[in-house]
Amino acid sequence: MKYQHFISPQTQYYHLSQPFELEGGEVLTGVQVAYRTWGKLNSQGDNGVLICHALTGSADADDWWKDLLGSKKALDSDRDFILCSNILGSCYGTTGATSINPQTGIPYGASFPVITIRDMVRLQAELIKYLGIKCLQLVIGGSLGGMQVLEWALLYPEIVRAIAPLATSGRHSAWCIGLSEAQRQAIYADPHWKGGNYTEEQPPKQGLAVARMMAMSTYRYWHSFTERFGRQYDASADQFAIASYLQHHGQKLVDRFDANTYITLTKAMDHHDIAQGKDYESVLQSIQQPTLVVGIDSDILYPPIEQQELADFIPNSQIAWLNSIYGHDAFLIDTDALNKLIIRFRQALNLEFKICNS
């Protein structure tokens, strides 16, 4: 696999023995799930904690969320059996566009079927069952991860005890869909795109890089760019510092991510709507688990109004804020503050449990 060197050697793999039917009706065979675990599952199988990663993330939560994961942290490996799996459709070990299609013997590429957030969650549930986890004390994730968190609460209420959706919404807004479409069009405009049937030697690098540059501009906030770059100009490169920064991040993604995967996952996000034709408020009100909604005051991608909406309608919920200059990415940057918020939430849950059972 092209992206194998980005996958931790601690990664484990689960191979489904049965075909996996997608929400859209198509069926995948030979599905593989890449995952990482920390801590040990207790004899009751009820100390599970599931981390759901974001768009270009991976199962290596100890890398991108190291301040939350470990002894005496919010996700305590001395107490919890912590799991993070690479999502369906991604390119870091779980079946996706870069995987070999067992029917053809070549990578799926553009033929990889349309998937949904619910498909991702249902595949994670297969892994949970395989590992013998009977109860998830917490399901937590930000952005695309937060979308999965909400679906977990709705699809598997008998397993999930509490949830923490971060910097996310219950349905993708026109704002987010428009931004995603602009990014996809940048990829489509690359002459190497070829309808998604590009070669490994000539992928649509420029299109994917530009898509990432657009995305990075929405992951941060006016204040953070102003404070860090201002109007700095690099005369030797004949461009502004912010331009160099965005180009750097565009190239970094090209080196580690696949364009078809980007298309697949952004389309799944755009179709995210927990109501699916039902009354949105009523569906949120059906979530009964204790819920910590975390919003970021400077998030322009999933603005605070969307997290407040979740907290207003989910009955047993509370909202907490990351006050940050970093915008949407604050849940990956201001991790010390986030760790404290999650610790307080989990401590309150444990106290409530003790009171109810005393």
Side-chain angles (χ1 to χ4, degrees):
M1 177 191 287
K2 179 181 178 182
Y3 303 97
Q4 187 66 45
H5 58 293
F6 291 106
I7 302 173
S8 166
Q10 283 75 46
T11 300
Q12 301 177 69
Y13 298 91
Y14 168 53
H15 295 88
L16 270 69
S17 58
Q18 301 295 325
F20 184 73
E21 184 174 353
L22 301 171
E23 196 173 4
E26 294 200 51
V27 176
L28 294 173
T29 58
V31 172
Q32 172 178 280
V33 185
Y35 67 97
R36 295 278 310 277
T37 65
W38 301 264
K40 293 183 179 181
L41 185 65
N42 64 21
S43 57
Q44 296 80 30
D46 66 358
N47 66 328
V49 168
L50 177 63
I51 301 172
C52 301
H53 71 73
L55 172 60
T56 62
S58 70
D60 299 326
D62 58 346
D63 179 25
W64 48 268
W65 249 6
K66 60 184 178 181
D67 289 338
L68 275 77
L69 200 155
S71 180
K72 296 181 173 55
K73 295 182 180 179
L75 312 176
D76 189 339
S77 51
D78 293 336
R79 171 192 62 194
D80 303 318
F81 180 59
I82 304 161
L83 167 68
C84 185
S85 69
N86 186 230
I87 56 173
L88 178 67
S90 190
C91 54
Y92 295 133
T94 296
T95 296
T98 61
S99 303
I100 299 298
N101 181 346
Q103 309 301 321
T104 64
I106 61 175
Y108 283 99
S111 71
F112 190 73
V114 172
I115 61 172
T116 66
I117 306 298
R118 288 193 171 186
D119 289 330
M120 298 172 191
V121 170
R122 287 175 46 250
L123 183 58
Q124 289 168 349
E126 293 290 336
L127 176 62
I128 294 291
K129 182 179 178 181
Y130 163 74
L131 293 173
I133 299 173
K134 303 288 193 273
C135 173
L136 291 169
Q137 295 294 331
L138 179 68
V139 182
I140 181 172
S143 197
L144 169 56
M147 299 174 193
Q148 297 165 60
V149 170
L150 292 169
E151 291 289 9
W152 261 102
L154 291 163
L155 293 176
Y156 301 101
E158 72 284 359
I159 298 176
V160 178
R161 294 290 176 266
I163 62 171
L166 322 173
T168 194
S169 62
R171 53 189 175 187
H172 232 208
S173 65
W175 168 246
C176 285
I177 294 169
L179 290 167
S180 295
E181 179 61 19
Q183 292 165 41
R184 289 190 293 267
Q185 289 296 331
I187 296 173
Y188 299 157
D190 190 304
H192 295 305
W193 168 245
K194 298 179 180 177
N197 298 304
Y198 49 86
T199 64
E200 186 174 314
E201 294 71 32
Q202 283 191 318
K205 292 183 178 181
Q206 185 61 25
L208 183 57
V210 172
R212 182 62 166 182
M213 290 169 68
M214 292 181 192
M216 285 299 300
S217 298
T218 67
Y219 294 161
R220 299 300 171 86
Y221 180 56
W222 179 91
H223 192 176
S224 64
F225 275 3
T226 300
E227 184 177 88
R228 181 171 178 180
F229 302 108
R231 291 186 49 79
Q232 297 174 48
Y233 191 81
D234 183 352
S236 62
D238 193 23
Q239 64 182 8
F240 287 98
I242 182 61
S244 298
Y245 169 83
L246 292 175
Q247 290 164 12
H248 168 72
H249 278 279
Q251 185 58 50
K252 276 183 66 177
L253 189 72
V254 165
D255 292 340
R256 71 173 181 89
F257 213 73
D258 171 63
N260 271 317
T261 299
Y262 198 88
I263 300 296
T264 296
L265 298 183
T266 56
K267 284 187 173 181
M269 294 170 72
D270 285 352
H271 284 90
H272 167 62
D273 180 357
I274 59 168
Q276 294 197 340
K278 301 177 184 176
D279 179 69
Y280 182 66
E281 182 177 339
S282 298
V283 172
L284 284 174
Q285 288 173 340
S286 73
I287 296 176
Q288 297 302 310
Q289 294 93 337
T291 300
L292 176 66
V293 178
V294 177
I296 300 164
D297 64 342
S298 56
D299 192 343
I300 63 169
L301 190 58
Y302 300 95
I305 190 173
E306 294 189 326
Q307 289 85 61
Q308 189 64 59
E309 183 179 51
L310 295 176
D312 287 345
F313 293 143
I314 297 174
N316 192 11
S317 68
Q318 56 183 285
I319 192 164
W321 297 100
L322 283 177
N323 298 307
S324 173
I325 68 168
Y326 294 114
H328 181 65
D329 268 355
F331 77 94
L332 297 170
I333 299 173
D334 289 330
T335 48
D336 182 58
L338 179 59
N339 182 60
K340 292 174 183 176
L341 292 178
I342 305 302
I343 286 175
R344 283 200 293 269
F345 175 62
R346 298 198 70 187
Q347 286 175 339
L349 287 177
N350 291 335
L351 179 60
E352 180 181 341
F353 179 80
K354 289 176 181 178
I355 291 173
C356 291
N357 288 273
S358 62

